[in-house]
Amino acid sequence: MMASPLQLLLTHGSGPLIFLVLVAGGLGLPFPEDLVQLAAGVLAHRGLMPLPAAMAVCFLGVLCGDTVLFLMCRRLGQALYTHPRTRRLFPPERRARVQALFAKHGSRVVFVGRFLSVLRVPVFAMAAAEGMPLRRFLLWDGLALCLSSPLVVTLGYVGSASVDRVAKGVGQVEHFIALAGVAALLVVLGVRHVRGRQHDRAPA
C-alpha cells in the first residue's frame, strides 16, 4: 500500500523539503498545502525543527508558490483564459463568479481567496491576468497567510498524536477563519466609510 504524502513527510520531512513541497503545491502539483503545514507542525512537536522555524518555512513556502503562480499567469495575460493548460480552470460560471467578486471587492478578493480552496487558484490567476500589481497581491496574500499559516502549523503541533483527525478538521477551521477575516475586513471598510463621511461634513 502506497504511503500518503502526509505519511512520507512525517517520515522523511525536513525544513527544506517542506518549503519545496509547498512551492510545488502552489504551482498546482498534488500536495495539499494544509496537510504539508500540518506535517510541519508535527515535525516541530517531535523536535526536528523549532516551532517558529516551522511557521516561517511554511509562510515563505506558500508565499513563494503563490508568487511564482502569479508571475506565470501575469506573463500569460488574457491568454490565460484560452491556453490549453489553464483554460479548464475557468469555466464560464467560475470566471463570472470571480469577476463579480473582483468588481465588488477589488484587490481585497485575494485576501478572501486565500481561505477558499476551490477558488484560490482562479482568484490568484485572474488577479495576475487582469493586471493587479505584484506588490498589492503580496500585501493581501501575505496578510491572509499571517492568519492561516501559523494556525494550521500550530494545529499540527498540538494535535501531533492525532494528526489524521486534525487534518479532517482543517477545512472547518479555515471556514471560520474566512468568516472572521471577512468580518474584520467589513469593520475596516465601515470605519473608513464613517471617517470619510465625517471628513465630508467637516467645515472647510
CSV table of all heavy atoms in Angstrom, one decimal, residues 30-66:
chain,number,residue,atom,x,y,z
A,30,PRO,N,0.0,18.0,-6.9
A,30,PRO,CA,-1.0,17.5,-5.9
A,30,PRO,C,-0.4,17.3,-4.5
A,30,PRO,O,-0.3,16.2,-3.9
A,30,PRO,CB,-1.4,16.1,-6.5
A,30,PRO,CG,-0.2,15.7,-7.2
A,30,PRO,CD,0.4,16.9,-7.8
A,31,PHE,N,0.0,18.4,-3.9
A,31,PHE,CA,0.5,18.5,-2.5
A,31,PHE,C,-0.4,19.5,-1.7
A,31,PHE,O,-0.1,20.7,-1.7
A,31,PHE,CB,1.9,18.9,-2.4
A,31,PHE,CG,2.9,18.0,-3.2
A,31,PHE,CD1,3.7,18.6,-4.2
A,31,PHE,CD2,2.9,16.7,-3.0
A,31,PHE,CE1,4.6,17.8,-4.9
A,31,PHE,CE2,3.7,15.8,-3.8
A,31,PHE,CZ,4.6,16.4,-4.7
A,32,PRO,N,-1.5,19.0,-1.1
A,32,PRO,CA,-2.4,19.9,-0.3
A,32,PRO,C,-1.6,20.7,0.7
A,32,PRO,O,-1.0,20.1,1.6
A,32,PRO,CB,-3.4,19.0,0.3
A,32,PRO,CG,-3.3,17.7,-0.5
A,32,PRO,CD,-1.9,17.6,-1.0
A,33,GLU,N,-1.6,22.0,0.6
A,33,GLU,CA,-0.7,22.8,1.5
A,33,GLU,C,-1.1,22.7,2.9
A,33,GLU,O,-0.3,22.8,3.8
A,33,GLU,CB,-0.7,24.3,1.0
A,33,GLU,CG,-2.1,25.0,1.2
A,33,GLU,CD,-2.0,26.5,0.7
A,33,GLU,OE1,-1.3,26.7,-0.3
A,33,GLU,OE2,-2.6,27.3,1.3
A,34,ASP,N,-2.4,22.5,3.2
A,34,ASP,CA,-2.8,22.4,4.6
A,34,ASP,C,-2.2,21.1,5.3
A,34,ASP,O,-1.7,21.2,6.4
A,34,ASP,CB,-4.4,22.3,4.7
A,34,ASP,CG,-5.0,23.6,4.2
A,34,ASP,OD1,-4.4,24.6,4.4
A,34,ASP,OD2,-6.1,23.5,3.6
A,35,LEU,N,-2.2,20.0,4.5
A,35,LEU,CA,-1.6,18.8,5.1
A,35,LEU,C,-0.1,19.0,5.3
A,35,LEU,O,0.5,18.5,6.2
A,35,LEU,CB,-1.9,17.6,4.2
A,35,LEU,CG,-3.3,17.1,4.1
A,35,LEU,CD1,-3.5,15.9,3.3
A,35,LEU,CD2,-3.8,16.8,5.5
A,36,VAL,N,0.6,19.7,4.3
A,36,VAL,CA,2.0,19.9,4.4
A,36,VAL,C,2.3,20.7,5.7
A,36,VAL,O,3.3,20.5,6.4
A,36,VAL,CB,2.5,20.6,3.2
A,36,VAL,CG1,4.0,20.9,3.3
A,36,VAL,CG2,2.3,19.7,1.9
A,37,GLN,N,1.5,21.8,5.9
A,37,GLN,CA,1.7,22.6,7.1
A,37,GLN,C,1.4,21.9,8.4
A,37,GLN,O,2.1,22.1,9.4
A,37,GLN,CB,0.9,23.9,7.0
A,37,GLN,CG,1.3,24.8,5.8
A,37,GLN,CD,0.5,26.0,5.7
A,37,GLN,OE1,0.9,27.1,6.3
A,37,GLN,NE2,-0.6,26.0,5.0
A,38,LEU,N,0.4,21.0,8.3
A,38,LEU,CA,0.2,20.1,9.5
A,38,LEU,C,1.4,19.3,9.8
A,38,LEU,O,1.8,19.1,10.9
A,38,LEU,CB,-1.1,19.2,9.2
A,38,LEU,CG,-2.4,19.9,9.4
A,38,LEU,CD1,-3.5,18.9,9.0
A,38,LEU,CD2,-2.7,20.2,10.9
A,39,ALA,N,2.0,18.7,8.7
A,39,ALA,CA,3.1,17.9,8.9
A,39,ALA,C,4.3,18.7,9.5
A,39,ALA,O,5.0,18.2,10.4
A,39,ALA,CB,3.6,17.3,7.5
A,40,ALA,N,4.4,19.9,9.1
A,40,ALA,CA,5.5,20.8,9.7
A,40,ALA,C,5.3,21.0,11.2
A,40,ALA,O,6.2,20.9,12.0
A,40,ALA,CB,5.5,22.1,9.0
A,41,GLY,N,4.0,21.1,11.6
A,41,GLY,CA,3.7,21.3,13.0
A,41,GLY,C,4.0,20.0,13.8
A,41,GLY,O,4.6,20.0,14.9
A,42,VAL,N,3.7,18.8,13.2
A,42,VAL,CA,4.1,17.6,13.8
A,42,VAL,C,5.6,17.4,13.9
A,42,VAL,O,6.1,17.0,15.0
A,42,VAL,CB,3.5,16.4,13.0
A,42,VAL,CG1,3.9,15.1,13.6
A,42,VAL,CG2,1.9,16.5,13.0
A,43,LEU,N,6.3,17.7,12.9
A,43,LEU,CA,7.8,17.6,12.9
A,43,LEU,C,8.3,18.6,14.0
A,43,LEU,O,9.3,18.2,14.7
A,43,LEU,CB,8.4,18.0,11.6
A,43,LEU,CG,8.0,17.0,10.4
A,43,LEU,CD1,8.6,17.5,9.1
A,43,LEU,CD2,8.6,15.6,10.7
A,44,ALA,N,7.7,19.7,14.2
A,44,ALA,CA,8.2,20.6,15.2
A,44,ALA,C,7.9,20.0,16.6
A,44,ALA,O,8.8,20.1,17.5
A,44,ALA,CB,7.5,22.0,15.1
A,45,HIS,N,6.8,19.4,16.8
A,45,HIS,CA,6.5,18.7,18.0
A,45,HIS,C,7.4,17.6,18.3
A,45,HIS,O,7.8,17.4,19.5
A,45,HIS,CB,5.0,18.2,18.0
A,45,HIS,CG,4.5,17.7,19.3
A,45,HIS,ND1,4.7,16.4,19.7
A,45,HIS,CD2,3.9,18.3,20.3
A,45,HIS,CE1,4.2,16.2,20.9
A,45,HIS,NE2,3.7,17.3,21.3
A,46,ARG,N,7.9,17.0,17.3
A,46,ARG,CA,8.9,15.9,17.5
A,46,ARG,C,10.3,16.4,17.7
A,46,ARG,O,11.2,15.6,17.9
A,46,ARG,CB,8.9,14.9,16.3
A,46,ARG,CG,7.5,14.2,16.1
A,46,ARG,CD,7.5,13.3,14.9
A,46,ARG,NE,6.3,12.6,14.8
A,46,ARG,CZ,6.0,11.8,13.7
A,46,ARG,NH1,6.8,11.7,12.7
A,46,ARG,NH2,4.8,11.2,13.7
A,47,GLY,N,10.5,17.7,17.7
A,47,GLY,CA,11.8,18.3,17.9
A,47,GLY,C,12.7,18.3,16.7
A,47,GLY,O,13.9,18.6,16.9
A,48,LEU,N,12.2,18.1,15.5
A,48,LEU,CA,13.0,18.1,14.3
A,48,LEU,C,13.3,19.5,13.8
A,48,LEU,O,14.2,19.7,13.0
A,48,LEU,CB,12.4,17.2,13.2
A,48,LEU,CG,12.2,15.7,13.6
A,48,LEU,CD1,11.6,15.0,12.5
A,48,LEU,CD2,13.6,15.1,13.9
A,49,MET,N,12.5,20.5,14.3
A,49,MET,CA,12.7,21.9,14.0
A,49,MET,C,11.9,22.7,15.0
A,49,MET,O,10.9,22.2,15.5
A,49,MET,CB,12.2,22.2,12.5
A,49,MET,CG,10.7,22.1,12.3
A,49,MET,SD,10.3,22.6,10.6
A,49,MET,CE,10.6,21.1,9.7
A,50,PRO,N,12.4,23.9,15.3
A,50,PRO,CA,11.7,24.8,16.2
A,50,PRO,C,10.3,25.2,15.7
A,50,PRO,O,10.2,25.3,14.4
A,50,PRO,CB,12.6,26.0,16.4
A,50,PRO,CG,13.9,25.5,16.0
A,50,PRO,CD,13.7,24.5,14.9
A,51,LEU,N,9.3,25.3,16.5
A,51,LEU,CA,8.0,25.7,16.0
A,51,LEU,C,8.0,27.0,15.3
A,51,LEU,O,7.4,27.1,14.2
A,51,LEU,CB,7.0,25.8,17.2
A,51,LEU,CG,5.6,26.2,16.8
A,51,LEU,CD1,5.0,25.2,15.8
A,51,LEU,CD2,4.7,26.3,18.1
A,52,PRO,N,8.7,28.1,15.7
A,52,PRO,CA,8.8,29.3,14.9
A,52,PRO,C,9.4,29.1,13.6
A,52,PRO,O,9.0,29.7,12.6
A,52,PRO,CB,9.7,30.3,15.8
A,52,PRO,CG,9.5,29.8,17.2
A,52,PRO,CD,9.4,28.3,17.1
A,53,ALA,N,10.4,28.3,13.5
A,53,ALA,CA,11.1,28.0,12.2
A,53,ALA,C,10.1,27.3,11.3
A,53,ALA,O,10.0,27.5,10.1
A,53,ALA,CB,12.3,27.1,12.4
A,54,ALA,N,9.3,26.3,11.8
A,54,ALA,CA,8.3,25.6,11.0
A,54,ALA,C,7.3,26.6,10.5
A,54,ALA,O,6.9,26.5,9.3
A,54,ALA,CB,7.6,24.6,11.9
A,55,MET,N,6.8,27.6,11.3
A,55,MET,CA,5.9,28.6,10.8
A,55,MET,C,6.5,29.4,9.7
A,55,MET,O,5.8,29.8,8.7
A,55,MET,CB,5.4,29.5,12.0
A,55,MET,CG,4.6,28.8,13.0
A,55,MET,SD,4.1,29.9,14.4
A,55,MET,CE,3.1,28.8,15.4
A,56,ALA,N,7.8,29.8,9.9
A,56,ALA,CA,8.4,30.7,8.9
A,56,ALA,C,8.6,30.0,7.6
A,56,ALA,O,8.4,30.5,6.5
A,56,ALA,CB,9.8,31.2,9.5
A,57,VAL,N,9.0,28.7,7.7
A,57,VAL,CA,9.2,27.9,6.5
A,57,VAL,C,7.9,27.7,5.7
A,57,VAL,O,7.9,27.9,4.5
A,57,VAL,CB,9.8,26.5,6.8
A,57,VAL,CG1,9.7,25.6,5.6
A,57,VAL,CG2,11.3,26.7,7.2
A,58,CYS,N,6.8,27.5,6.4
A,58,CYS,CA,5.5,27.3,5.8
A,58,CYS,C,5.0,28.6,5.2
A,58,CYS,O,4.5,28.6,4.0
A,58,CYS,CB,4.5,26.8,6.8
A,58,CYS,SG,4.8,25.0,7.2
A,59,PHE,N,5.2,29.7,5.9
A,59,PHE,CA,4.7,31.0,5.4
A,59,PHE,C,5.5,31.3,4.1
A,59,PHE,O,4.9,31.7,3.1
A,59,PHE,CB,5.0,32.1,6.5
A,59,PHE,CG,4.6,33.5,6.0
A,59,PHE,CD1,3.3,34.0,6.3
A,59,PHE,CD2,5.5,34.3,5.4
A,59,PHE,CE1,3.0,35.2,5.9
A,59,PHE,CE2,5.2,35.6,4.9
A,59,PHE,CZ,3.9,36.0,5.2
A,60,LEU,N,6.8,31.2,4.1
A,60,LEU,CA,7.6,31.5,3.0
A,60,LEU,C,7.4,30.6,1.8
A,60,LEU,O,7.3,31.0,0.6
A,60,LEU,CB,9.1,31.6,3.3
A,60,LEU,CG,9.5,32.7,4.3
A,60,LEU,CD1,10.9,32.5,4.7
A,60,LEU,CD2,9.3,34.0,3.7
A,61,GLY,N,7.2,29.3,2.1
A,61,GLY,CA,6.9,28.3,1.1
A,61,GLY,C,5.6,28.6,0.3
A,61,GLY,O,5.6,28.6,-0.9
A,62,VAL,N,4.6,28.8,1.1
A,62,VAL,CA,3.3,29.1,0.5
A,62,VAL,C,3.3,30.4,-0.3
A,62,VAL,O,2.9,30.5,-1.5
A,62,VAL,CB,2.2,29.2,1.5
A,62,VAL,CG1,0.8,29.6,0.9
A,62,VAL,CG2,2.0,27.8,2.2
A,63,LEU,N,4.0,31.4,0.3
A,63,LEU,CA,4.0,32.7,-0.4
A,63,LEU,C,4.9,32.7,-1.7
A,63,LEU,O,4.5,33.3,-2.7
A,63,LEU,CB,4.6,33.8,0.6
A,63,LEU,CG,4.5,35.2,0.1
A,63,LEU,CD1,3.1,35.7,-0.1
A,63,LEU,CD2,5.3,36.2,1.0
A,64,CYS,N,5.9,31.9,-1.6
A,64,CYS,CA,6.8,31.8,-2.9
A,64,CYS,C,6.0,31.0,-3.9
A,64,CYS,O,6.0,31.4,-5.1
A,64,CYS,CB,8.1,31.0,-2.5
A,64,CYS,SG,9.3,32.0,-1.6
A,65,GLY,N,5.3,30.0,-3.6
A,65,GLY,CA,4.5,29.3,-4.5
A,65,GLY,C,3.4,30.2,-5.2
A,65,GLY,O,3.2,30.1,-6.4
A,66,ASP,N,2.7,31.0,-4.3
A,66,ASP,CA,1.7,31.9,-4.8
A,66,ASP,C,2.3,32.9,-5.8
A,66,ASP,O,1.8,33.3,-6.8
A,66,ASP,CB,1.1,32.6,-3.7
A,66,ASP,CG,0.2,31.7,-2.8
A,66,ASP,OD1,-0.1,30.5,-3.3
A,66,ASP,OD2,-0.2,32.1,-1.7
